[in-house]
Amino acid sequence: MEEKTSFFKKPAIQTILASILCAALGVVLGYVILLFMNPEHATEGIIAILKNFFKFSGKPQQLMYYMGSTLVKSVPLILCSEAILFAYKAGLFNIGAAGQYTVGILVCLYTSLGLGWNWFLCVIAAILVGAVWGALCGFFKAFCNVNEVIAGIMLNWIGLYLCNIILGTETCMNTTKSETYDIAAKNASGILPGFMQEFFGKNQYMTIAVPITIIIAVLIWVVLSKTTFGYELKATGHNKDAAKYSGMNAKRNIILTLAISGAISGLAAALYYLTSIEHYKISSSVPGMGFNGIAVAFLGGLHPIGAIIAGLFVEYITLGGQYLNTNYFNPQVADLMIAIIIYLCGFVLFFKTVINKPKKKKIKENAVQNTAGKKEV
């Protein structure tokens, strides 16, 4: 008779437990750091970070406003994690998501500020250029046997310099402030339509970006788990030669996987910058969003829905740092906590291995039973 799988042996439960453990350890270690910095005010500091916008619980409108802003700022992080997760499930490590996100910024802002397009066309343009950037990486992998990590890193920097050069012109950038123009002021049609703005304390940045992010996550889960197309992509990623001999077009699937991943990264940029919550500034480094998405994907257990929760948590803690008392602490302590959590994400698989490690007693019993069975035969 087959034994029932233990509750804690279920993969989904183990993933959730491992992710919660990583997050909890990160918060505890963050508190320890605060103790070293200023023992007297450490408890006050950690409470301020964890409380975040709930400090406005007595002022409902302010509470909802800041909650809405947190949701908006979580969108690019969640979508970049979804892009990385999608490629990873297909056996590919898309470290080029940062570059795909960057060219998405370039195109959505240039089409909006430079060409005066409406939001829909700007979003489509960002998706397409992100897909092309991802497909380039896939092409080098499929036809030139160039590792996607190397190709992705090279394209990241090319994307950054193109973005700096094109958006750095007076057409898109307010040179007196060294940042791109406010879309709402220069091209109102380029702003995404609002979503429940009254409910979120009249937050003008709350747009359809939030529901679209949830829809994309659900679609990724359906495609990867419930469709033949998703199975083909995963099969190709895990064993290109086996997929080829079973009749699948391995090269096409590699390019397609990275193109879809790139499209999601491009979408992430458009859904964030077309809210006008942030303006682009000339940067000397590739946006961290694409790299942070890797940690969020793993913290979310490499599950599309888990990535939403992980992304919200990471952004919540990050923004919680702004409520620290600067007389006692540097607000970047919150970023340090996130860095620790990100580092601990690497141990998710280790935690699952420990949980799954069979007990010595059970191994011995199974060995005795197998020996007895052989003797009877």
Side-chain angles (χ1 to χ4, degrees):
M1 188 175 174
E2 204 172 308
E3 290 182 15
K4 286 186 178 179
T5 306
S6 167
F7 178 76
F8 292 104
K9 293 290 182 182
K10 293 179 180 178
I13 299 301
Q14 290 180 358
T15 300
I16 292 168
L17 289 174
S19 298
I20 291 172
L21 184 58
C22 286
L25 280 173
V27 172
V28 170
L29 290 173
Y31 180 55
V32 171
I33 291 167
L34 291 176
L35 285 170
F36 276 107
M37 293 174 70
N38 192 322
E40 189 179 347
H41 297 279
T43 302
E44 173 194 328
I46 197 70
I47 289 173
I49 292 172
L50 296 177
K51 204 171 182 182
N52 201 325
F53 52 74
F54 284 105
K55 69 176 286 184
F56 300 110
S57 54
K59 302 173 182 176
Q61 188 164 354
Q62 275 187 287
L63 171 67
M64 296 309 295
Y65 182 90
Y66 286 108
M67 182 185 290
S69 294
T70 301
L71 291 174
V72 173
K73 290 177 180 179
S74 299
V75 164
L77 184 58
I78 292 169
L79 283 176
C80 282
S81 74
E82 299 287 355
I84 290 159
L85 178 155
F86 183 86
Y88 192 85
K89 284 285 188 179
L92 297 165
F93 189 44
N94 185 18
I95 203 167
Q100 293 144 23
Y101 178 78
T102 304
V103 293
I105 296 172
L106 161 62
V107 171
C108 76
L109 288 180
Y110 184 78
T111 52
S112 178
L113 297 171
L115 303 179
W117 291 6
N118 67 35
W119 67 270
F120 183 76
L121 293 176
C122 295
V123 170
I124 296 300
I127 291 172
L128 290 175
V129 76
V132 169
W133 219 247
L136 274 174
C137 187
F139 175 83
F140 291 130
K141 167 79 173 178
F143 290 96
C144 306
N145 202 26
V146 176
N147 188 284
E148 71 272 17
V149 173
I150 296 171
I153 290 171
M154 295 299 103
L155 287 170
N156 284 350
W157 289 101
I158 294 171
L160 175 68
Y161 295 136
L162 283 174
C163 192
N164 284 343
I165 292 166
I166 296 172
L167 292 184
T169 61
E170 291 185 1
T171 305
C172 301
M173 186 162 285
N174 184 340
T175 51
T176 57
K177 293 183 178 179
S178 298
E179 63 182 29
T180 51
Y181 295 109
D182 181 50
I183 300 173
K186 190 167 184 181
N187 176 26
S189 66
I191 294 288
L192 293 167
F195 175 75
M196 298 180 70
Q197 291 182 344
E198 289 294 324
F199 178 78
F200 285 98
K202 297 181 180 180
N203 190 325
Q204 72 271 30
Y205 304 118
M206 270 299 295
T207 65
I208 57 172
V210 175
I212 288 175
T213 300
I214 297 170
I215 292 167
I216 293 296
V218 172
L219 283 175
I220 290 171
W221 174 73
V222 170
V223 168
L224 289 175
S225 306
K226 308 292 180 182
T227 66
T228 305
F229 173 67
Y231 173 78
E232 279 197 19
L233 293 184
K234 289 189 286 186
T236 303
H238 289 303
N239 195 322
K240 186 171 67 174
D241 294 325
K244 179 182 176 182
Y245 286 117
S246 63
M248 299 176 191
N249 190 329
K251 291 181 179 179
R252 182 204 65 189
N253 286 346
I254 289 171
I255 295 172
L256 197 54
T257 298
L258 288 169
I260 293 171
S261 183
I264 298 169
S265 299
L267 175 65
L271 292 186
Y272 184 60
Y273 279 90
L274 294 181
T275 62
S276 205
I277 196 170
E278 187 175 318
H279 304 146
Y280 182 78
K281 297 178 181 178
I282 299 297
S283 176
S284 59
S285 60
V286 180
M289 204 65 71
F291 300 112
N292 292 342
I294 298 170
V296 170
F298 280 93
L299 186 61
L302 293 172
H303 191 285
I305 308 304
I308 294 177
I309 299 168
L312 286 170
F313 172 76
V314 167
E315 195 61 35
Y316 181 86
I317 295 294
T318 302
L319 294 176
Q322 68 188 5
Y323 297 106
L324 277 171
N325 190 327
T326 53
N327 292 323
Y328 309 121
F329 301 107
N330 187 318
Q332 290 186 336
V333 170
D335 294 324
L336 179 59
M337 285 174 62
I338 292 302
I340 293 168
I341 292 169
I342 288 171
Y343 182 77
L344 289 171
C345 284
F347 292 92
V348 169
L349 294 177
F350 170 73
F351 292 141
K352 290 175 75 174
T353 303
V354 171
I355 295 171
N356 286 323
K357 191 176 180 181
K359 294 178 182 177
K360 290 182 180 179
K361 187 178 177 183
K362 195 165 184 180
I363 294 172
K364 192 174 180 181
E365 285 175 1
N366 289 338
V368 170
Q369 285 175 6
N370 290 336
T371 305
K374 286 178 182 178
K375 284 180 179 178
E376 284 177 14
V377 174

